[in-house]
Amino acid sequence: MKLNDLGPLMARRQDGGLRFERFRADPALAALQWPNDVLRDFLFDHGDNGHFVDDYGDVGLCAITWKLETNPAADFVGMPTGASDAGCIESYAENPVHWVDVRRPEVGRHWEEHGTWLRPPLLIDRRLLDPADSGLQVLEGRTRVGVLRGRLREQLRVAPAHQAWVGRP
């Protein structure tokens, strides 16, 4: 099963007739046995986003195993995102304070108190996109990773390591 195969499910979600609880209970998605955070952020929230589908539509969803991992801050500095959204992480990094300020107040407090994001972003092993490739790519959470990069550049509080959901083969 691929993201491209979920068109009918996405259409039902778009029509407003499918809340997350019913979405995740769909037999095809339940069989993936993905964490709820990943299902929500990857498929429910972005599964019909054109750029997202362009970049990840042909990925075999059943081939991905998700694990919450802790990664050094430095690992996020050069990490790419999908080709359709190239440059967006850098644009968020240009003004990290703004991108935190436009979020709920608890997001800003979390950055100030803990030096990291409130919700872990999603990263994907690039071998799932191209078996000859290596490293991780930002799947979802481009704003958060941009804020991290900008905070590092501006020498604002940043924790030495950050949690992220990582999808691997």
Side-chain angles (χ1 to χ4, degrees):
M1 174 176 59
K2 299 180 179 183
L3 182 59
N4 284 330
D5 299 331
L6 298 178
L9 184 61
M10 292 300 152
R12 288 198 332 261
R13 185 197 55 75
Q14 287 173 355
D15 291 341
L18 202 57
R19 299 205 184 282
F20 180 69
E21 291 75 25
R22 289 190 57 218
F23 179 84
R24 74 176 178 189
D26 183 276
L29 299 181
L32 292 174
Q33 297 183 0
W34 286 5
N36 283 337
D37 289 347
V38 175
L39 272 175
R40 183 191 61 241
D41 293 350
F42 183 177
L43 301 180
F44 187 75
D45 289 347
H46 296 289
D48 57 354
N49 174 300
H51 290 289
F52 220 67
V53 174
D54 288 346
D55 292 336
Y56 307 107
D58 291 324
V59 174
L61 302 179
C62 297
I64 305 173
T65 300
W66 293 95
K67 182 179 174 190
L68 192 59
E69 297 182 6
T70 301
N71 297 287
D75 287 2
F76 293 93
V77 172
M79 195 179 291
T81 192
S84 296
D85 281 326
C88 76
I89 293 174
E90 293 78 10
S91 70
Y92 295 126
E94 289 175 10
N95 195 348
V97 172
H98 166 75
W99 292 108
V100 169
D101 285 348
V102 297
R103 301 293 188 257
R104 298 180 329 261
E106 58 266 27
V107 171
R109 282 193 302 274
H110 201 79
W111 274 107
E112 292 307 315
E113 293 172 11
H114 303 284
T116 191
W117 34 68
L118 191 57
R119 285 185 29 243
L122 308 182
L123 311 178
I124 192 166
D125 187 315
R126 294 176 59 81
R127 292 176 298 168
L128 288 160
L129 307 170
D130 177 355
D133 214 340
S134 64
L136 297 175
Q137 176 169 312
V138 179
L139 177 73
E140 190 280 331
R142 295 171 298 275
T143 305
R144 283 168 268 173
V145 173
V147 167
L148 172 69
R149 289 182 190 178
R151 288 179 69 89
L152 283 167
R153 187 191 71 249
E154 294 183 10
Q155 299 180 350
L156 300 172
R157 179 179 164 95
V158 174
H162 307 267
Q163 288 196 320
W165 286 104
V166 179
R168 297 189 188 277

